[in-house]
Amino acid sequence: MKAKLRVLQLDASASPAASSSRKLGQRLLEKLGESADIELRVRDLNHDLSFIDSDWVGANLTAAAEREPAQVERLLFSDALIDELKWADRIVLTTPMYNFSVPATLKAWIDLVCRAGVTFRYTPDGPVGLLQGKSAHIVITTGGVPLGSPADFLSGYLRQIFGFIGIDDVELIAADRMNVDAEASFAGALEQIESVDARVAA
Ligand SMILES: Cc1cc2nc3c(=O)[nH]c(=O)nc-3n(C[C@H](O)[C@H](O)[C@H](O)COP(=O)(O)O)c2cc1C
């Protein structure tokens, strides 16, 4: 019998219909499904995301027990995004590189899920991530920038963010430089996906 795996799929491309990162994400999910019984939740980051503002920051900085009803309300969407992360064993994030880094929708999601006392806490030795026992596959596509090059402010940043909230077990899958040789780039990422095993890690 296949083991159960709760997967949260997060998609950041602003062009869903033709998105190469999403196509790779779909193949990755099929691959995971070969060795696990997948329970899937999907969140398209093009919908419902909003930027944090002063009310949100004020609510977040107020101790939970002391929040006004409006402040509790203001944090509900952020709470829901974090609950999805807590629910998941595995996160599959698909994202293109936009202007050398993350799409703004993904940055909005990051700002909503990185919360002191909820997804990380400060200690005398530095911050500690609170979302333990999870792993992530991050599928990245780029037009011209090689992954790991000095102009790649995306992959290291995403590793940092996931590690910051406790998810250190991160695998990067990249179809980089799609504008140079799309076919070879896509094929390389597919090859990497073929070696993914749902049973590895959490
Ligand atoms: C607004 C925008 C900004 C982009 N910025 C970059 C960039 O800085 N570097 C790069 O290599 N590619 C950049 N690209 C190209 C995309 O990363 C590339 O086309 C990627 O394959 C798109 O993935 P998708 O098909 O999943 O949407 C950009 C594309 C768009 C639409």
Side-chain angles (χ1 to χ4, degrees), residues 15-94:
S15 314
S19 167
S20 47
S21 56
R22 285 180 197 224
K23 279 191 197 113
L24 291 168
Q26 282 312 310
R27 178 60 203 137
L28 175 55
L29 281 164
E30 286 164 19
K31 183 67 193 169
L32 291 174
E34 288 173 13
S35 48
D37 187 3
I38 305 284
E39 195 182 333
L40 181 66
R41 289 193 195 174
V42 182
R43 181 168 288 280
D44 183 341
L45 300 182
N46 286 290
H47 302 300
D48 305 326
L49 270 286
S50 57
F51 295 127
I52 59 171
D53 58 13
S54 64
D55 286 348
W56 189 95
V57 172
N60 187 38
L61 290 177
T62 304
E66 289 163 24
R67 281 179 195 135
E68 302 288 336
Q71 291 183 307
V72 172
E73 168 94 4
R74 192 70 181 82
L75 294 175
L76 283 180
F77 184 58
S78 160
D79 293 339
L81 295 178
I82 292 169
D83 284 346
E84 285 176 349
L85 277 172
K86 287 182 176 166
W87 167 87
D89 305 308
R90 188 78 56 98
I91 291 96
V92 171
L93 167 62
T94 73

Side-chain angles (χ1 to χ4, degrees), residues 1 32 83 96 114 166 199:
M1 207 179 82
L32 291 174
D83 284 346
C114 293
R199 287 164 298 197

Side-chain angles (χ1 to χ4, degrees), residues 12-16 18-23 94-101 139-146 151 154 175-179:
S13 172
S15 314
S19 167
S20 47
S21 56
R22 285 180 197 224
K23 279 191 197 113
T94 73
T95 182
M97 174 181 285
Y98 284 173
N99 299 309
F100 308 101
S101 185
V139 179
I140 291 173
T141 49
T142 80
V145 170
L154 173 62
D176 57 350
R177 306 180 79 215
M178 290 284 286
N179 294 347

Side-chain angles (χ1 to χ4, degrees), residues 118-139:
V118 184
T119 52
F120 70 93
R121 68 186 168 84
Y122 291 113
T123 74
D125 300 324
V128 173
L130 299 178
L131 300 181
Q132 301 287 334
K134 303 176 188 304
S135 56
H137 306 278
I138 300 181
V139 179

